[in-house]
Amino acid sequence: MKPTIRPIQIPGRVRLEFAEQGSQSGMPVIALHGVTDSWRSFEPVLPYLPADLHVMALTQRGHGDSDKPAGGYDPADFAADVAGFMDEMK
């Protein structure tokens, strides 16, 4: 199974890229990478995850092909981005 890579605009915040795979009705799993990486840190693992999971590997602000604003890199900003991502993904 190969993930779908796409961007998502978090209203009032940033545009983030993410990889998505698995069943849309499956248990949602959000994978968050470490500093200086992107969703690609999960690329070797994604093929081995169960197809009944709905996996979303997020590229956080300032990384990969996601927006790189001049500011907004406090832990609260990253947390708000993830909360906004969850809202947009329902």
Side-chain angles (χ1 to χ4, degrees):
M1 177 180 344
K2 195 166 177 86
T4 300
I5 313 307
R6 65 184 178 113
I8 188 168
Q9 180 66 46
I10 309 304
R13 300 200 60 79
V14 290
R15 184 197 55 78
L16 302 176
E17 182 181 72
F18 70 104
E20 181 177 34
Q21 77 174 31
S23 172
Q24 296 289 319
S25 63
M27 178 185 295
V29 175
I30 299 175
L32 300 174
H33 62 80
V35 177
T36 74
D37 216 332
S38 70
W39 75 265
R40 290 189 176 275
S41 62
F42 299 99
E43 200 166 13
V45 175
L46 290 173
Y48 298 99
L49 297 177
D52 61 343
L53 293 177
H54 181 196
V55 180
M56 295 153 282
L58 190 60
T59 296
Q60 298 179 76
R61 67 169 56 215
H63 298 81
D65 289 328
S66 291
D67 282 351
K68 296 169 182 61
Y73 293 94
D74 289 327
D77 296 307
F78 289 102
D81 289 346
V82 174
F85 177 77
M86 290 189 302
D87 288 343
E88 287 301 300
M89 294 300 291
K90 310 258 185 275

